[in-house]
């Protein structure tokens, strides 16, 4: 992320206010929130991550990619810990 943040063309494209950059940021933040708090507060981390993913999906239609990436990660990391309340 540090290399992308210093890339001139990436920063220049983001300065035009493109919504795909905002969608990418919200999706990446959702994954970070989940990975940061999943061991101690699973319900809260899933809720906050889903709020961020929803905001990303409302920002740009490619938010579905972050949504799929997130749920593949959740099923890979915490498949045995998930209950029906987490999925709801």
């Amino acid at each position: 992320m540090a290399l992308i943040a210093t890339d001139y063309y990436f920063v220049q494209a983001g300065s035009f206010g493109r919504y795909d950059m905002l969608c990418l940021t919200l999706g990446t933040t959702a994954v970070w929130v989940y990975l940061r708090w999943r061991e101690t507060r699973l319900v809260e981390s899933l809720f906050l991550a889903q709020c961020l993913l929803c905001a990303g999906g409302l920002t740009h239609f490619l938010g579905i990619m972050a949504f799929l990436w997130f749920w593949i990660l959740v099923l890979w990391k915490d498949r045995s810990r998930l209950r029906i309340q987490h999925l709801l």
Side-chain angles (χ1 to χ4, degrees):
M1 292 184 100
L3 291 174
I4 291 175
T6 58
D7 182 27
Y8 174 75
Y9 295 107
F10 191 81
V11 174
Q12 182 183 14
S15 68
F16 292 116
R18 298 194 43 177
Y19 295 115
D20 51 355
M21 299 273 190
L22 180 60
C23 179
L24 173 69
T25 303
L26 289 168
T28 306
T29 306
V31 171
W32 178 83
V33 164
Y34 166 71
L35 290 175
R36 172 70 173 89
W37 289 329
R38 76 179 182 86
E39 293 179 4
T40 58
R41 297 182 285 188
L42 183 63
V43 175
E44 291 87 355
S45 69
L46 286 172
F47 178 75
L48 187 55
Q50 285 298 310
C51 289
L52 290 166
L53 286 172
C54 180
L58 292 172
T59 302
H60 196 272
F61 69 92
L62 286 177
I64 192 71
M65 299 303 286
F67 179 79
L68 294 173
W69 175 42
F70 174 77
W71 278 106
I72 288 171
L73 181 68
V74 168
L75 291 175
W76 180 48
K77 290 281 195 184
D78 288 322
R79 182 176 46 239
S80 63
R81 294 177 57 196
L82 288 178
R83 304 286 178 253
I84 192 69
Q85 69 176 0
H86 300 127
L87 299 176
L88 294 176

